[in-house]
Amino acid sequence: MQLTAQGVNGTIAVSVPAREFASVFVGCGAVSAAFEPQLDPSPEGSQFGSAARLEPRRHVVRLVSTQNTAGFVGILNEAVSKNNREGYNVGGSWIPADRYRIDVLKWPDNPADFIGQSRILERIDFPVGAAGLLPGAPADFCGFSALHCAIVGNGTAIQQESGTLIATSTVAEPVPLSALLRPRAIHEKARQFRSVLLPAREDPEDYRELVAGRKPKVVILDSAATVCRWLGAEMAPVTVALVERTAPSGEAAADALKRHRARSPEDLPLPADLARVPAGIEVLAWQSRAGNP
């Protein structure tokens, strides 16, 4: 995230003994570092003014309650004043703006899929024990969506690995890593997310512009085979290439990274949070050419 803050495009190549858990841990780090609070429960924090500027019936939105764990998803018909109160008309229902904040869904929800539907009730889960792990208030972090990283790889394996339980202490209630990573598959609809999972075996060109347009901070290429296929996809300012040394395509991935680095203007020092790399893991970073991650 330091590279992104400095406006530097770059590649971070990470050599690991095995790929398991690596992408999930890197993704959790990217999500935690990129998170910015969106929820202000005070009347002064209303998003009514921003909602009123949205074009009617063109946006899928989630209404995040400031008082409980219930939310609603649907088409924003308009933001209107009714009986001297500001509110949102979502899926034909009027909902007071002083009790809800609005989350405009930008990935990859198509308004056409929701036209004609009433507002859809949605439970927003706040995992017990997550408060010490989440960057920010649980209601804020769990209720809103924002794309912080994209992970390209075996989606089933990544989902399984993100189910690993962690806790802040031996007495705290454990929660899955997915509570922080909040992954969402590319074809899912209206689900809260912080990261999106992309299928490594498909054509990068089918997703490159779509992902880049949502401006993730980091794209993680999970496995040597994925690095070989997706290294030039140019979807985010920072690309993290995870290569397992024992993989059949490990040497091919190393060669691809070597060629990529040869075109680099310069190598980059490791970010401060990577200064202490665990034993058995090798990390190297370099700057990309202007305009090319």
Side-chain angles (χ1 to χ4, degrees), residues 53-280:
R53 291 191 290 271
L54 295 176
E55 190 173 353
R57 292 175 291 280
R58 294 294 299 273
H59 299 276
V60 180
V61 300
R62 175 184 294 106
L63 295 179
V64 181
S65 172
T66 60
Q67 300 180 3
N68 55 50
T69 60
F72 299 97
V73 177
I75 295 289
L76 176 66
N77 294 324
E78 58 182 335
V80 296
S81 293
K82 180 180 180 181
N83 299 327
N84 296 319
R85 294 187 68 189
E86 296 175 336
Y88 309 115
N89 186 318
V90 174
S93 300
W94 188 90
I95 301 177
D98 58 357
R99 292 185 55 193
Y100 291 88
R101 299 296 176 261
I102 192 166
D103 177 24
V104 181
L105 303 183
K106 299 179 180 178
W107 180 289
D109 305 280
N110 186 347
D113 296 335
F114 295 85
I115 290 177
Q117 296 189 40
S118 301
R119 60 192 176 116
I120 302 168
L121 179 64
E122 177 185 66
R123 179 174 177 81
I124 301 175
D125 293 322
F126 304 149
V128 176
L133 297 170
L134 299 178
D140 192 358
F141 187 81
C142 296
F144 288 85
S145 301
L147 180 59
H148 292 153
C149 76
I151 304 178
V152 186
N154 183 323
T156 300
I158 295 169
Q159 290 278 24
Q160 291 175 344
E161 291 162 7
S162 69
T164 301
L165 297 176
I166 58 173
T168 55
S169 70
T170 57
V171 296
E173 184 78 17
V175 299
L177 284 169
S178 59
L180 179 58
L181 185 61
R182 300 191 67 78
R184 170 180 174 171
I186 183 72
H187 298 300
E188 289 181 310
K189 293 187 183 123
R191 177 179 170 184
Q192 305 104 307
F193 59 92
R194 297 289 175 186
S195 61
V196 67
L197 306 182
L198 300 169
R201 294 189 176 184
E202 297 192 27
D203 188 346
E205 285 300 310
D206 291 341
Y207 301 99
R208 183 176 60 82
E209 291 186 4
L210 182 63
V211 175
R214 270 62 178 183
K215 299 180 180 180
K217 301 294 190 298
V218 177
V219 166
I220 302 165
L221 307 181
D222 182 31
S223 83
T226 303
V227 170
C228 291
R229 186 174 179 84
W230 286 73
L231 185 58
E234 303 181 4
M235 295 185 291
V238 176
T239 297
V240 178
L242 298 170
V243 177
E244 66 277 31
R245 290 189 289 273
T246 58
S249 52
E251 290 188 7
D255 289 342
L257 289 167
K258 184 177 180 180
R259 292 193 298 270
H260 193 272
R261 182 187 175 196
R263 299 194 297 270
S264 166
E266 62 177 332
D267 286 345
L268 297 171
L270 293 182
D273 52 357
L274 286 179
R276 298 177 61 183
V277 178

Side-chain angles (χ1 to χ4, degrees), residues 9-20:
N9 288 356
T11 299
I12 301 176
V14 184
S15 172
V16 296
R19 56 145 296 279
E20 63 178 357

